[in-house]
Amino acid sequence: MSNAKIYFLMVLCTIFWAGAFIAAKLSSPFIPPFTLTFLRFFIATLILYIVIKYKKQEIYKLKIKDFPIFLFTGLVGMFGYHVLFFIAVKYTSAINSSIIGASNPIITSILSIIFLKDKLTYKRILGIILSFTGVFLTLTNANLSVIKSFSFNYGDIIMLLAVFMWASYGVFSKWVMPRYSPIILTFYSFLFCTILIIPFVVYEMPWELINSIPYYSFIAVIYMSIFPSVVGYLVQQISIKQIGPSKTSIFINLVPIFSIILSVLILKETLNPIKLLTAALIILGVYICQKN
């Protein structure tokens, strides 16, 4: 696959990921977070299994040494990130959550410096400071008096924790990627997440709520399962393998831009200059960091 095709597919994926914030906003008020995560990855796992069989590939048989790896990717990258993500969007706007999500490459850079011994340069320091300034202004809505009362938006804090989970998954994936193909790494991460979350789904008893869930919430779940999950994760893993993690992560900068557009058009959310400023700061910081 040519690099030009990879770039096109990654831009398409950022639109899908931006749409996930909208879909989550349409489904999370009606479907509990553990159930929502289960449905998303149960459907995605089935689709990936069909894709593997259609391509006439053999399913990689797990060995004992593989279990800790997929327990981590399934528990932290899928279970942890998405449960926190679905909780966060119940308490904050799709615009806020996407802006905070844009800090992912910066947090990934920090973790890579700590765990993968990446170099810390002046450009990286500047990029990290700019991006975290953007995140901080998003959390406080540019109202610095909030610091005195510590009245941060609950959903924004949860979203920041979710991004930390996702960044941890990304750094860990870089380390284990030479052992597995992108589709196998994605498939087993989805499968382990689906299995691990079952007890929590039973606790939520979603069958008691099924009659009160609007039809568009189910459509949103199917969308999240197919486009941001199966297509998005697979293309991302292929891109990391072909053009590298740094170039791949740059595309995440486009997510808040598409998310802001979709939020205003579909959810009728209000866009104010502060949101544009914070998004610009995060994107600029990530660009400076990745350009290096």
Side-chain angles (χ1 to χ4, degrees), residues 220-241:
V221 171
I222 294 172
Y223 168 84
M224 287 188 289
S225 299
I226 297 173
F227 297 101
S229 296
V230 174
V231 178
Y233 280 71
L234 271 180
V235 172
Q236 183 188 40
Q237 295 289 10
I238 293 169
S239 178
I240 288 173
K241 195 166 187 177

Side-chain angles (χ1 to χ4, degrees), residues 140-214:
T140 61
N141 201 27
N143 181 6
L144 299 184
S145 63
V146 169
I147 302 172
K148 299 178 181 178
S149 59
F150 292 97
S151 57
F152 295 121
N153 181 298
Y154 177 74
D156 290 344
I157 299 296
I158 295 295
M159 186 63 203
L160 193 57
L161 182 58
V163 172
F164 178 79
M165 290 274 193
W166 180 246
S168 301
Y169 163 78
V171 171
F172 187 77
S173 292
K174 292 178 190 177
W175 180 58
V176 301
M177 190 166 289
R179 308 184 197 181
Y180 310 100
S181 68
I183 195 168
I184 292 300
L185 180 60
T186 306
F187 172 75
Y188 276 114
S189 297
F190 285 6
L191 179 62
F192 272 68
C193 171
T194 304
I195 295 171
L196 288 168
I197 209 169
I198 289 174
F200 299 92
V201 175
V202 173
Y203 173 78
E204 286 181 334
M205 296 186 293
W207 50 85
E208 295 184 353
L209 304 171
I210 193 165
N211 292 328
S212 63
I213 300 173

Side-chain angles (χ1 to χ4, degrees), residues 12-13 15-17 19-20 23 36-48 50-51 82 86 186 190 218-236:
L12 194 61
C13 284
I15 299 174
F16 293 156
W17 289 331
L36 196 49
T37 305
F38 171 80
L39 290 173
R40 176 173 179 171
F41 287 105
F42 175 72
I43 297 171
T45 303
L46 286 178
I47 293 171
L48 266 184
I50 293 170
V51 169
H82 288 89
F86 289 133
T186 306
F190 285 6
F218 290 112
I219 295 174
V221 171
I222 294 172
Y223 168 84
M224 287 188 289
S225 299
I226 297 173
F227 297 101
S229 296
V230 174
V231 178
Y233 280 71
L234 271 180
V235 172
Q236 183 188 40

Side-chain angles (χ1 to χ4, degrees), residues 57-282:
Q57 292 184 5
E58 288 293 325
I59 297 290
Y60 174 82
K61 293 180 180 179
L62 291 178
K63 304 176 181 64
I64 293 177
K65 65 179 181 180
D66 297 320
F67 277 82
I69 292 172
F70 291 116
L71 276 172
F72 184 90
T73 58
L75 189 61
V76 174
M78 307 302 156
F79 184 113
Y81 169 76
H82 288 89
V83 168
L84 291 174
F85 168 62
F86 289 133
I87 293 173
V89 294
K90 289 179 68 175
Y91 299 99
T92 190
S93 67
I95 290 176
N96 267 33
S97 56
S98 66
I99 290 173
I100 296 169
S103 66
N104 171 271
I106 293 298
I107 299 176
T108 301
S109 292
I110 294 172
L111 293 178
S112 295
I113 290 166
I114 296 171
F115 295 105
L116 300 180
K117 308 304 180 185
D118 279 5
K119 293 180 180 179
L120 182 61
T121 64
Y122 290 115
K123 282 188 177 180
R124 273 199 166 183
I125 293 172
L126 176 61
I128 289 168
I129 291 172
L130 283 174
S131 284
F132 271 111
T133 300
V135 172
F136 177 77
L137 291 174
T138 301
L139 292 173
T140 61
N141 201 27
N143 181 6
L144 299 184
S145 63
V146 169
I147 302 172
K148 299 178 181 178
S149 59
F150 292 97
S151 57
F152 295 121
N153 181 298
Y154 177 74
D156 290 344
I157 299 296
I158 295 295
M159 186 63 203
L160 193 57
L161 182 58
V163 172
F164 178 79
M165 290 274 193
W166 180 246
S168 301
Y169 163 78
V171 171
F172 187 77
S173 292
K174 292 178 190 177
W175 180 58
V176 301
M177 190 166 289
R179 308 184 197 181
Y180 310 100
S181 68
I183 195 168
I184 292 300
L185 180 60
T186 306
F187 172 75
Y188 276 114
S189 297
F190 285 6
L191 179 62
F192 272 68
C193 171
T194 304
I195 295 171
L196 288 168
I197 209 169
I198 289 174
F200 299 92
V201 175
V202 173
Y203 173 78
E204 286 181 334
M205 296 186 293
W207 50 85
E208 295 184 353
L209 304 171
I210 193 165
N211 292 328
S212 63
I213 300 173
Y215 74 93
Y216 57 79
S217 292
F218 290 112
I219 295 174
V221 171
I222 294 172
Y223 168 84
M224 287 188 289
S225 299
I226 297 173
F227 297 101
S229 296
V230 174
V231 178
Y233 280 71
L234 271 180
V235 172
Q236 183 188 40
Q237 295 289 10
I238 293 169
S239 178
I240 288 173
K241 195 166 187 177
Q242 181 163 327
I243 66 174
S246 294
K247 288 185 178 180
T248 299
S249 67
I250 290 174
F251 288 93
I252 296 175
N253 305 350
L254 299 174
V255 173
I257 297 172
F258 290 127
S259 185
I260 287 171
I261 294 170
L262 292 174
S263 297
V264 172
L265 292 176
I266 299 174
L267 300 179
K268 308 301 180 185
E269 289 187 357
T270 304
L271 177 62
N272 59 55
I274 293 299
K275 295 294 188 287
L276 290 174
L277 171 65
T278 56
L281 280 173
I282 292 173

